[in-house]
Amino acid sequence: MTLLNRIPVLGALLGGPGPSAQPTLEEVMAERYRERTRPRPGDEAYAHLLDLREALAAAVDDAKGVWLDFGAGTSPYRGLFREAALKTAELGGAEGYSVDYQLNEDGSCPAPDDTFDGVLSTQVLEHVDDPDAYLREAFRLLRPGGRLVLSTHGVWEDHGGQDLWRWTADGLARQAELAGFTVDRTEKLTCGPRALLLLLRRHGREHGWAGGGPIGLLLRTLALVDQALPRAIDDYVARGYRELGRVEGPSELFYLDVLLVASKPA
Ligand SMILES: C[S@@+](CC[C@H](N)C(=O)[O-])C[C@H]1O[C@@H](n2cnc3c(N)ncnc32)[C@H](O)[C@@H]1O
């Protein structure tokens, strides 16, 4: 451990990275679930995960019947389904999740056509080898009139684990239409400065800020505020840019996520 790691505030001032720790896989999974279900100010993606949870809650609030969480991981949004039953599907061996359907090697699900009233897909599309095949499989699994609620990234860091694709809101809508869906709406999540501040903080926490001059000082001040008052940036973003959490329409030019609500024609 370096001196900069031992003294975080000094590290921030000098532009060094913050402290590093090596959590176990179980701890990582538990934390991933906690962040998505109960985001806290100071979390890496606090405002973004708040926006995502809120948008998903609105999109599945009236869900009924049987839904499939397609690429469920820890299925962190299962608590949002008040009336519908939520089944889970995952790739074999994907971090040892226990699921209702283990997906075949080609990503297909061992369930008949028209099985589900809804398909939920959160932060999966950017990881799949073939987004078109994945969406066509979701389409096959849905009953006519069934609903797809899907979120994926707009502008976001390359987060590894086979992170392959990014979408604009219009691009995601077009991709869903190509697979046969009728698009009901798209929402841009965590937009403009609300997104920028999170991205800047993320970079600073990972790499520090090495540059000099007034801009370097500004960025190191941001890192210092983040280390001394870990909630401050999130409180500011939450209050000052609340209306940029969820936006429909063309006004916002960059955003961390896109939420798509679409349906299989009846
Ligand atoms: C970032 S995780 C998201 C997990 C969960 N949906 C969530 O919101 O926390 C991406 C998940 O997509 C799964 N995945 C990757 N390729 C897939 C495919 N072709 N079909 C279904 N799931 C896939 C991975 O196994 C992984 O669990």
PDB file of all heavy atoms in Angstrom, residues 131-140 142-148 172-184 260-266:
ATOM      1  N   PRO A 131     -27.038  -9.204 -29.996  1.00  0.00           N
ATOM      2  CA  PRO A 131     -28.236  -8.538 -29.470  1.00  0.00           C
ATOM      3  C   PRO A 131     -29.507  -8.876 -30.256  1.00  0.00           C
ATOM      4  O   PRO A 131     -30.586  -9.012 -29.679  1.00  0.00           O
ATOM      5  CB  PRO A 131     -27.896  -7.049 -29.593  1.00  0.00           C
ATOM      6  CG  PRO A 131     -26.413  -6.989 -29.570  1.00  0.00           C
ATOM      7  CD  PRO A 131     -25.952  -8.237 -30.259  1.00  0.00           C
ATOM      8  N   ASP A 132     -29.383  -9.021 -31.579  1.00  0.00           N
ATOM      9  CA  ASP A 132     -30.569  -9.329 -32.377  1.00  0.00           C
ATOM     10  C   ASP A 132     -31.122 -10.709 -32.011  1.00  0.00           C
ATOM     11  O   ASP A 132     -32.333 -10.872 -31.818  1.00  0.00           O
ATOM     12  CB  ASP A 132     -30.216  -9.261 -33.861  1.00  0.00           C
ATOM     13  CG  ASP A 132     -31.444  -9.468 -34.724  1.00  0.00           C
ATOM     14  OD1 ASP A 132     -32.426  -8.708 -34.544  1.00  0.00           O
ATOM     15  OD2 ASP A 132     -31.455 -10.402 -35.558  1.00  0.00           O
ATOM     16  N   ALA A 133     -30.236 -11.698 -31.853  1.00  0.00           N
ATOM     17  CA  ALA A 133     -30.689 -13.047 -31.487  1.00  0.00           C
ATOM     18  C   ALA A 133     -31.323 -13.031 -30.092  1.00  0.00           C
ATOM     19  O   ALA A 133     -32.347 -13.687 -29.850  1.00  0.00           O
ATOM     20  CB  ALA A 133     -29.502 -14.015 -31.529  1.00  0.00           C
ATOM     21  N   TYR A 134     -30.735 -12.259 -29.185  1.00  0.00           N
ATOM     22  CA  TYR A 134     -31.278 -12.169 -27.816  1.00  0.00           C
ATOM     23  C   TYR A 134     -32.695 -11.575 -27.845  1.00  0.00           C
ATOM     24  O   TYR A 134     -33.620 -12.082 -27.212  1.00  0.00           O
ATOM     25  CB  TYR A 134     -30.340 -11.322 -26.966  1.00  0.00           C
ATOM     26  CG  TYR A 134     -30.843 -11.015 -25.577  1.00  0.00           C
ATOM     27  CD1 TYR A 134     -30.634 -11.899 -24.518  1.00  0.00           C
ATOM     28  CD2 TYR A 134     -31.541  -9.831 -25.318  1.00  0.00           C
ATOM     29  CE1 TYR A 134     -31.102 -11.607 -23.240  1.00  0.00           C
ATOM     30  CE2 TYR A 134     -32.004  -9.538 -24.048  1.00  0.00           C
ATOM     31  CZ  TYR A 134     -31.779 -10.422 -23.013  1.00  0.00           C
ATOM     32  OH  TYR A 134     -32.252 -10.129 -21.750  1.00  0.00           O
ATOM     33  N   LEU A 135     -32.875 -10.496 -28.606  1.00  0.00           N
ATOM     34  CA  LEU A 135     -34.195  -9.857 -28.666  1.00  0.00           C
ATOM     35  C   LEU A 135     -35.216 -10.752 -29.367  1.00  0.00           C
ATOM     36  O   LEU A 135     -36.385 -10.804 -28.978  1.00  0.00           O
ATOM     37  CB  LEU A 135     -34.084  -8.503 -29.382  1.00  0.00           C
ATOM     38  CG  LEU A 135     -33.432  -7.404 -28.544  1.00  0.00           C
ATOM     39  CD1 LEU A 135     -33.115  -6.178 -29.397  1.00  0.00           C
ATOM     40  CD2 LEU A 135     -34.320  -7.004 -27.364  1.00  0.00           C
ATOM     41  N   ARG A 136     -34.778 -11.461 -30.376  1.00  0.00           N
ATOM     42  CA  ARG A 136     -35.709 -12.380 -31.059  1.00  0.00           C
ATOM     43  C   ARG A 136     -36.122 -13.520 -30.127  1.00  0.00           C
ATOM     44  O   ARG A 136     -37.251 -14.017 -30.187  1.00  0.00           O
ATOM     45  CB  ARG A 136     -35.081 -12.922 -32.349  1.00  0.00           C
ATOM     46  CG  ARG A 136     -35.033 -11.871 -33.444  1.00  0.00           C
ATOM     47  CD  ARG A 136     -34.410 -12.374 -34.730  1.00  0.00           C
ATOM     48  NE  ARG A 136     -34.137 -11.251 -35.603  1.00  0.00           N
ATOM     49  CZ  ARG A 136     -35.028 -10.649 -36.395  1.00  0.00           C
ATOM     50  NH1 ARG A 136     -36.263 -11.114 -36.434  1.00  0.00           N
ATOM     51  NH2 ARG A 136     -34.701  -9.613 -37.137  1.00  0.00           N
ATOM     52  N   GLU A 137     -35.207 -13.940 -29.251  1.00  0.00           N
ATOM     53  CA  GLU A 137     -35.551 -14.980 -28.278  1.00  0.00           C
ATOM     54  C   GLU A 137     -36.552 -14.420 -27.255  1.00  0.00           C
ATOM     55  O   GLU A 137     -37.509 -15.101 -26.882  1.00  0.00           O
ATOM     56  CB  GLU A 137     -34.275 -15.496 -27.592  1.00  0.00           C
ATOM     57  CG  GLU A 137     -34.487 -16.602 -26.578  1.00  0.00           C
ATOM     58  CD  GLU A 137     -35.038 -17.900 -27.165  1.00  0.00           C
ATOM     59  OE1 GLU A 137     -35.314 -17.975 -28.381  1.00  0.00           O
ATOM     60  OE2 GLU A 137     -35.227 -18.853 -26.378  1.00  0.00           O
ATOM     61  N   ALA A 138     -36.344 -13.197 -26.820  1.00  0.00           N
ATOM     62  CA  ALA A 138     -37.312 -12.558 -25.909  1.00  0.00           C
ATOM     63  C   ALA A 138     -38.679 -12.482 -26.589  1.00  0.00           C
ATOM     64  O   ALA A 138     -39.719 -12.760 -25.972  1.00  0.00           O
ATOM     65  CB  ALA A 138     -36.828 -11.163 -25.517  1.00  0.00           C
ATOM     66  N   PHE A 139     -38.681 -12.138 -27.856  1.00  0.00           N
ATOM     67  CA  PHE A 139     -39.928 -12.040 -28.636  1.00  0.00           C
ATOM     68  C   PHE A 139     -40.624 -13.408 -28.702  1.00  0.00           C
ATOM     69  O   PHE A 139     -41.825 -13.518 -28.484  1.00  0.00           O
ATOM     70  CB  PHE A 139     -39.576 -11.544 -30.041  1.00  0.00           C
ATOM     71  CG  PHE A 139     -40.762 -11.217 -30.903  1.00  0.00           C
ATOM     72  CD1 PHE A 139     -41.322  -9.950 -30.876  1.00  0.00           C
ATOM     73  CD2 PHE A 139     -41.307 -12.168 -31.751  1.00  0.00           C
ATOM     74  CE1 PHE A 139     -42.409  -9.634 -31.675  1.00  0.00           C
ATOM     75  CE2 PHE A 139     -42.402 -11.863 -32.555  1.00  0.00           C
ATOM     76  CZ  PHE A 139     -42.958 -10.589 -32.518  1.00  0.00           C
ATOM     77  N   ARG A 140     -39.860 -14.430 -28.972  1.00  0.00           N
ATOM     78  CA  ARG A 140     -40.419 -15.797 -29.061  1.00  0.00           C
ATOM     79  C   ARG A 140     -41.053 -16.203 -27.722  1.00  0.00           C
ATOM     80  O   ARG A 140     -42.113 -16.817 -27.680  1.00  0.00           O
ATOM     81  CB  ARG A 140     -39.293 -16.784 -29.430  1.00  0.00           C
ATOM     82  CG  ARG A 140     -39.757 -18.228 -29.582  1.00  0.00           C
ATOM     83  CD  ARG A 140     -38.609 -19.201 -29.726  1.00  0.00           C
ATOM     84  NE  ARG A 140     -37.877 -19.459 -28.495  1.00  0.00           N
ATOM     85  CZ  ARG A 140     -38.278 -20.244 -27.506  1.00  0.00           C
ATOM     86  NH1 ARG A 140     -39.454 -20.860 -27.583  1.00  0.00           N
ATOM     87  NH2 ARG A 140     -37.532 -20.413 -26.431  1.00  0.00           N
ATOM     88  N   LEU A 142     -42.344 -14.366 -25.382  1.00  0.00           N
ATOM     89  CA  LEU A 142     -43.500 -13.565 -24.962  1.00  0.00           C
ATOM     90  C   LEU A 142     -44.772 -14.043 -25.637  1.00  0.00           C
ATOM     91  O   LEU A 142     -44.766 -14.368 -26.834  1.00  0.00           O
ATOM     92  CB  LEU A 142     -43.290 -12.106 -25.354  1.00  0.00           C
ATOM     93  CG  LEU A 142     -42.478 -11.228 -24.414  1.00  0.00           C
ATOM     94  CD1 LEU A 142     -42.239  -9.874 -25.072  1.00  0.00           C
ATOM     95  CD2 LEU A 142     -43.202 -11.059 -23.083  1.00  0.00           C
ATOM     96  N   ARG A 143     -45.865 -14.009 -24.891  1.00  0.00           N
ATOM     97  CA  ARG A 143     -47.170 -14.260 -25.533  1.00  0.00           C
ATOM     98  C   ARG A 143     -47.530 -13.026 -26.365  1.00  0.00           C
ATOM     99  O   ARG A 143     -47.040 -11.909 -26.064  1.00  0.00           O
ATOM    100  CB  ARG A 143     -48.244 -14.513 -24.476  1.00  0.00           C
ATOM    101  CG  ARG A 143     -48.536 -13.288 -23.636  1.00  0.00           C
ATOM    102  CD  ARG A 143     -49.878 -13.376 -22.959  1.00  0.00           C
ATOM    103  NE  ARG A 143     -50.048 -12.324 -21.976  1.00  0.00           N
ATOM    104  CZ  ARG A 143     -50.380 -11.063 -22.241  1.00  0.00           C
ATOM    105  NH1 ARG A 143     -50.555 -10.666 -23.495  1.00  0.00           N
ATOM    106  NH2 ARG A 143     -50.537 -10.188 -21.274  1.00  0.00           N
ATOM    107  N   PRO A 144     -48.357 -13.180 -27.406  1.00  0.00           N
ATOM    108  CA  PRO A 144     -48.796 -11.996 -28.156  1.00  0.00           C
ATOM    109  C   PRO A 144     -49.414 -10.975 -27.200  1.00  0.00           C
ATOM    110  O   PRO A 144     -50.199 -11.335 -26.327  1.00  0.00           O
ATOM    111  CB  PRO A 144     -49.840 -12.566 -29.128  1.00  0.00           C
ATOM    112  CG  PRO A 144     -49.425 -13.995 -29.314  1.00  0.00           C
ATOM    113  CD  PRO A 144     -48.872 -14.443 -27.982  1.00  0.00           C
ATOM    114  N   GLY A 145     -49.030  -9.739 -27.333  1.00  0.00           N
ATOM    115  CA  GLY A 145     -49.502  -8.692 -26.419  1.00  0.00           C
ATOM    116  C   GLY A 145     -48.613  -8.553 -25.185  1.00  0.00           C
ATOM    117  O   GLY A 145     -48.795  -7.627 -24.396  1.00  0.00           O
ATOM    118  N   GLY A 146     -47.650  -9.470 -25.013  1.00  0.00           N
ATOM    119  CA  GLY A 146     -46.764  -9.414 -23.838  1.00  0.00           C
ATOM    120  C   GLY A 146     -45.795  -8.239 -23.929  1.00  0.00           C
ATOM    121  O   GLY A 146     -45.560  -7.680 -25.010  1.00  0.00           O
ATOM    122  N   ARG A 147     -45.220  -7.872 -22.778  1.00  0.00           N
ATOM    123  CA  ARG A 147     -44.408  -6.647 -22.696  1.00  0.00           C
ATOM    124  C   ARG A 147     -42.931  -6.955 -22.441  1.00  0.00           C
ATOM    125  O   ARG A 147     -42.601  -7.840 -21.655  1.00  0.00           O
ATOM    126  CB  ARG A 147     -44.935  -5.799 -21.535  1.00  0.00           C
ATOM    127  CG  ARG A 147     -44.306  -4.404 -21.455  1.00  0.00           C
ATOM    128  CD  ARG A 147     -44.702  -3.693 -20.158  1.00  0.00           C
ATOM    129  NE  ARG A 147     -46.119  -3.759 -19.874  1.00  0.00           N
ATOM    130  CZ  ARG A 147     -46.646  -3.448 -18.698  1.00  0.00           C
ATOM    131  NH1 ARG A 147     -45.885  -3.034 -17.702  1.00  0.00           N
ATOM    132  NH2 ARG A 147     -47.940  -3.550 -18.500  1.00  0.00           N
ATOM    133  N   LEU A 148     -42.101  -6.203 -23.135  1.00  0.00           N
ATOM    134  CA  LEU A 148     -40.656  -6.235 -22.867  1.00  0.00           C
ATOM    135  C   LEU A 148     -40.269  -4.952 -22.152  1.00  0.00           C
ATOM    136  O   LEU A 148     -40.587  -3.854 -22.628  1.00  0.00           O
ATOM    137  CB  LEU A 148     -39.877  -6.337 -24.180  1.00  0.00           C
ATOM    138  CG  LEU A 148     -38.354  -6.167 -24.074  1.00  0.00           C
ATOM    139  CD1 LEU A 148     -37.693  -7.359 -23.376  1.00  0.00           C
ATOM    140  CD2 LEU A 148     -37.738  -5.968 -25.472  1.00  0.00           C
ATOM    141  N   LEU A 172     -31.793   1.890 -29.921  1.00  0.00           N
ATOM    142  CA  LEU A 172     -32.354   0.748 -29.194  1.00  0.00           C
ATOM    143  C   LEU A 172     -33.780   0.463 -29.670  1.00  0.00           C
ATOM    144  O   LEU A 172     -34.171  -0.705 -29.839  1.00  0.00           O
ATOM    145  CB  LEU A 172     -32.326   1.029 -27.682  1.00  0.00           C
ATOM    146  CG  LEU A 172     -32.774  -0.119 -26.799  1.00  0.00           C
ATOM    147  CD1 LEU A 172     -31.878  -1.348 -26.961  1.00  0.00           C
ATOM    148  CD2 LEU A 172     -32.811   0.311 -25.329  1.00  0.00           C
ATOM    149  N   ALA A 173     -34.531   1.538 -29.896  1.00  0.00           N
ATOM    150  CA  ALA A 173     -35.895   1.354 -30.406  1.00  0.00           C
ATOM    151  C   ALA A 173     -35.860   0.644 -31.767  1.00  0.00           C
ATOM    152  O   ALA A 173     -36.625  -0.295 -32.021  1.00  0.00           O
ATOM    153  CB  ALA A 173     -36.593   2.708 -30.522  1.00  0.00           C
ATOM    154  N   ARG A 174     -34.940   1.074 -32.629  1.00  0.00           N
ATOM    155  CA  ARG A 174     -34.837   0.445 -33.952  1.00  0.00           C
ATOM    156  C   ARG A 174     -34.437  -1.028 -33.823  1.00  0.00           C
ATOM    157  O   ARG A 174     -34.977  -1.900 -34.497  1.00  0.00           O
ATOM    158  CB  ARG A 174     -33.809   1.210 -34.795  1.00  0.00           C
ATOM    159  CG  ARG A 174     -33.588   0.655 -36.189  1.00  0.00           C
ATOM    160  CD  ARG A 174     -34.832   0.754 -37.055  1.00  0.00           C
ATOM    161  NE  ARG A 174     -35.359   2.105 -37.070  1.00  0.00           N
ATOM    162  CZ  ARG A 174     -34.936   3.088 -37.869  1.00  0.00           C
ATOM    163  NH1 ARG A 174     -34.007   2.831 -38.756  1.00  0.00           N
ATOM    164  NH2 ARG A 174     -35.452   4.288 -37.817  1.00  0.00           N
ATOM    165  N   GLN A 175     -33.502  -1.297 -32.915  1.00  0.00           N
ATOM    166  CA  GLN A 175     -33.058  -2.685 -32.713  1.00  0.00           C
ATOM    167  C   GLN A 175     -34.239  -3.573 -32.279  1.00  0.00           C
ATOM    168  O   GLN A 175     -34.382  -4.703 -32.733  1.00  0.00           O
ATOM    169  CB  GLN A 175     -31.971  -2.694 -31.630  1.00  0.00           C
ATOM    170  CG  GLN A 175     -31.370  -4.051 -31.333  1.00  0.00           C
ATOM    171  CD  GLN A 175     -30.007  -4.245 -31.933  1.00  0.00           C
ATOM    172  OE1 GLN A 175     -29.116  -3.461 -31.676  1.00  0.00           O
ATOM    173  NE2 GLN A 175     -29.857  -5.278 -32.722  1.00  0.00           N
ATOM    174  N   ALA A 176     -35.083  -3.038 -31.397  1.00  0.00           N
ATOM    175  CA  ALA A 176     -36.241  -3.814 -30.928  1.00  0.00           C
ATOM    176  C   ALA A 176     -37.248  -4.009 -32.064  1.00  0.00           C
ATOM    177  O   ALA A 176     -37.827  -5.098 -32.223  1.00  0.00           O
ATOM    178  CB  ALA A 176     -36.896  -3.109 -29.746  1.00  0.00           C
ATOM    179  N   GLU A 177     -37.438  -2.975 -32.873  1.00  0.00           N
ATOM    180  CA  GLU A 177     -38.381  -3.097 -34.009  1.00  0.00           C
ATOM    181  C   GLU A 177     -37.895  -4.154 -34.994  1.00  0.00           C
ATOM    182  O   GLU A 177     -38.684  -4.930 -35.530  1.00  0.00           O
ATOM    183  CB  GLU A 177     -38.524  -1.748 -34.714  1.00  0.00           C
ATOM    184  CG  GLU A 177     -39.407  -0.771 -33.943  1.00  0.00           C
ATOM    185  CD  GLU A 177     -39.287   0.669 -34.467  1.00  0.00           C
ATOM    186  OE1 GLU A 177     -38.461   0.927 -35.378  1.00  0.00           O
ATOM    187  OE2 GLU A 177     -40.008   1.523 -33.935  1.00  0.00           O
ATOM    188  N   LEU A 178     -36.592  -4.185 -35.218  1.00  0.00           N
ATOM    189  CA  LEU A 178     -36.046  -5.173 -36.157  1.00  0.00           C
ATOM    190  C   LEU A 178     -36.313  -6.606 -35.690  1.00  0.00           C
ATOM    191  O   LEU A 178     -36.411  -7.530 -36.489  1.00  0.00           O
ATOM    192  CB  LEU A 178     -34.530  -4.959 -36.337  1.00  0.00           C
ATOM    193  CG  LEU A 178     -34.136  -3.712 -37.127  1.00  0.00           C
ATOM    194  CD1 LEU A 178     -32.630  -3.491 -37.077  1.00  0.00           C
ATOM    195  CD2 LEU A 178     -34.623  -3.811 -38.574  1.00  0.00           C
ATOM    196  N   ALA A 179     -36.431  -6.772 -34.351  1.00  0.00           N
ATOM    197  CA  ALA A 179     -36.711  -8.109 -33.808  1.00  0.00           C
ATOM    198  C   ALA A 179     -38.209  -8.391 -33.765  1.00  0.00           C
ATOM    199  O   ALA A 179     -38.618  -9.456 -33.301  1.00  0.00           O
ATOM    200  CB  ALA A 179     -36.103  -8.226 -32.411  1.00  0.00           C
ATOM    201  N   GLY A 180     -39.052  -7.442 -34.210  1.00  0.00           N
ATOM    202  CA  GLY A 180     -40.493  -7.680 -34.308  1.00  0.00           C
ATOM    203  C   GLY A 180     -41.333  -6.911 -33.308  1.00  0.00           C
ATOM    204  O   GLY A 180     -42.558  -6.941 -33.377  1.00  0.00           O
ATOM    205  N   PHE A 181     -40.716  -6.223 -32.352  1.00  0.00           N
ATOM    206  CA  PHE A 181     -41.470  -5.533 -31.301  1.00  0.00           C
ATOM    207  C   PHE A 181     -42.106  -4.238 -31.805  1.00  0.00           C
ATOM    208  O   PHE A 181     -41.591  -3.594 -32.733  1.00  0.00           O
ATOM    209  CB  PHE A 181     -40.546  -5.160 -30.131  1.00  0.00           C
ATOM    210  CG  PHE A 181     -40.117  -6.344 -29.306  1.00  0.00           C
ATOM    211  CD1 PHE A 181     -38.889  -6.961 -29.532  1.00  0.00           C
ATOM    212  CD2 PHE A 181     -40.950  -6.851 -28.313  1.00  0.00           C
ATOM    213  CE1 PHE A 181     -38.494  -8.050 -28.779  1.00  0.00           C
ATOM    214  CE2 PHE A 181     -40.558  -7.946 -27.555  1.00  0.00           C
ATOM    215  CZ  PHE A 181     -39.327  -8.547 -27.790  1.00  0.00           C
ATOM    216  N   THR A 182     -43.188  -3.878 -31.140  1.00  0.00           N
ATOM    217  CA  THR A 182     -43.741  -2.530 -31.279  1.00  0.00           C
ATOM    218  C   THR A 182     -43.240  -1.734 -30.076  1.00  0.00           C
ATOM    219  O   THR A 182     -43.439  -2.159 -28.925  1.00  0.00           O
ATOM    220  CB  THR A 182     -45.288  -2.572 -31.246  1.00  0.00           C
ATOM    221  OG1 THR A 182     -45.721  -3.385 -32.331  1.00  0.00           O
ATOM    222  CG2 THR A 182     -45.880  -1.179 -31.364  1.00  0.00           C
ATOM    223  N   VAL A 183     -42.589  -0.609 -30.345  1.00  0.00           N
ATOM    224  CA  VAL A 183     -42.005   0.166 -29.246  1.00  0.00           C
ATOM    225  C   VAL A 183     -43.053   1.113 -28.684  1.00  0.00           C
ATOM    226  O   VAL A 183     -43.654   1.903 -29.417  1.00  0.00           O
ATOM    227  CB  VAL A 183     -40.765   0.947 -29.730  1.00  0.00           C
ATOM    228  CG1 VAL A 183     -40.246   1.875 -28.643  1.00  0.00           C
ATOM    229  CG2 VAL A 183     -39.681  -0.033 -30.171  1.00  0.00           C
ATOM    230  N   ASP A 184     -43.274   1.009 -27.373  1.00  0.00           N
ATOM    231  CA  ASP A 184     -44.218   1.909 -26.717  1.00  0.00           C
ATOM    232  C   ASP A 184     -43.532   3.225 -26.334  1.00  0.00           C
ATOM    233  O   ASP A 184     -44.066   4.290 -26.536  1.00  0.00           O
ATOM    234  CB  ASP A 184     -44.809   1.248 -25.465  1.00  0.00           C
ATOM    235  CG  ASP A 184     -45.546  -0.035 -25.828  1.00  0.00           C
ATOM    236  OD1 ASP A 184     -46.144  -0.072 -26.927  1.00  0.00           O
ATOM    237  OD2 ASP A 184     -45.493  -0.998 -25.052  1.00  0.00           O
ATOM    238  N   LEU A 260     -36.289   0.819 -22.366  1.00  0.00           N
ATOM    239  CA  LEU A 260     -37.199   0.584 -23.490  1.00  0.00           C
ATOM    240  C   LEU A 260     -38.415  -0.192 -22.984  1.00  0.00           C
ATOM    241  O   LEU A 260     -38.252  -1.173 -22.252  1.00  0.00           O
ATOM    242  CB  LEU A 260     -36.473  -0.262 -24.548  1.00  0.00           C
ATOM    243  CG  LEU A 260     -37.324  -0.799 -25.689  1.00  0.00           C
ATOM    244  CD1 LEU A 260     -37.230   0.134 -26.888  1.00  0.00           C
ATOM    245  CD2 LEU A 260     -36.908  -2.195 -26.092  1.00  0.00           C
ATOM    246  N   VAL A 261     -39.596   0.262 -23.355  1.00  0.00           N
ATOM    247  CA  VAL A 261     -40.812  -0.506 -23.097  1.00  0.00           C
ATOM    248  C   VAL A 261     -41.418  -0.812 -24.451  1.00  0.00           C
ATOM    249  O   VAL A 261     -41.690   0.097 -25.247  1.00  0.00           O
ATOM    250  CB  VAL A 261     -41.809   0.279 -22.216  1.00  0.00           C
ATOM    251  CG1 VAL A 261     -43.054  -0.553 -21.946  1.00  0.00           C
ATOM    252  CG2 VAL A 261     -41.154   0.692 -20.894  1.00  0.00           C
ATOM    253  N   ALA A 262     -41.585  -2.105 -24.730  1.00  0.00           N
ATOM    254  CA  ALA A 262     -42.068  -2.530 -26.050  1.00  0.00           C
ATOM    255  C   ALA A 262     -43.022  -3.700 -25.871  1.00  0.00           C
ATOM    256  O   ALA A 262     -43.098  -4.286 -24.790  1.00  0.00           O
ATOM    257  CB  ALA A 262     -40.879  -2.936 -26.929  1.00  0.00           C
ATOM    258  N   SER A 263     -43.735  -4.034 -26.940  1.00  0.00           N
ATOM    259  CA  SER A 263     -44.650  -5.169 -26.813  1.00  0.00           C
ATOM    260  C   SER A 263     -44.623  -6.026 -28.071  1.00  0.00           C
ATOM    261  O   SER A 263     -44.227  -5.564 -29.164  1.00  0.00           O
ATOM    262  CB  SER A 263     -46.074  -4.693 -26.505  1.00  0.00           C
ATOM    263  OG  SER A 263     -46.433  -3.670 -27.405  1.00  0.00           O
ATOM    264  N   LYS A 264     -45.027  -7.262 -27.877  1.00  0.00           N
ATOM    265  CA  LYS A 264     -45.149  -8.183 -29.015  1.00  0.00           C
ATOM    266  C   LYS A 264     -46.553  -7.987 -29.582  1.00  0.00           C
ATOM    267  O   LYS A 264     -47.544  -8.099 -28.830  1.00  0.00           O
ATOM    268  CB  LYS A 264     -44.962  -9.620 -28.518  1.00  0.00           C
ATOM    269  CG  LYS A 264     -45.122 -10.693 -29.578  1.00  0.00           C
ATOM    270  CD  LYS A 264     -44.660 -12.031 -29.005  1.00  0.00           C
ATOM    271  CE  LYS A 264     -44.909 -13.178 -29.956  1.00  0.00           C
ATOM    272  NZ  LYS A 264     -44.291 -14.438 -29.471  1.00  0.00           N
ATOM    273  N   PRO A 265     -46.665  -7.666 -30.860  1.00  0.00           N
ATOM    274  CA  PRO A 265     -48.000  -7.388 -31.413  1.00  0.00           C
ATOM    275  C   PRO A 265     -48.968  -8.547 -31.133  1.00  0.00           C
ATOM    276  O   PRO A 265     -48.575  -9.716 -31.208  1.00  0.00           O
ATOM    277  CB  PRO A 265     -47.734  -7.244 -32.911  1.00  0.00           C
ATOM    278  CG  PRO A 265     -46.295  -6.832 -33.000  1.00  0.00           C
ATOM    279  CD  PRO A 265     -45.594  -7.514 -31.857  1.00  0.00           C
ATOM    280  N   ALA A 266     -50.210  -8.194 -30.775  1.00  0.00           N
ATOM    281  CA  ALA A 266     -51.202  -9.211 -30.430  1.00  0.00           C
ATOM    282  C   ALA A 266     -51.663  -9.928 -31.689  1.00  0.00           C
ATOM    283  O   ALA A 266     -51.623  -9.350 -32.771  1.00  0.00           O
ATOM    284  CB  ALA A 266     -52.367  -8.560 -29.720  1.00  0.00           C
TER     285      ALA A 266
END
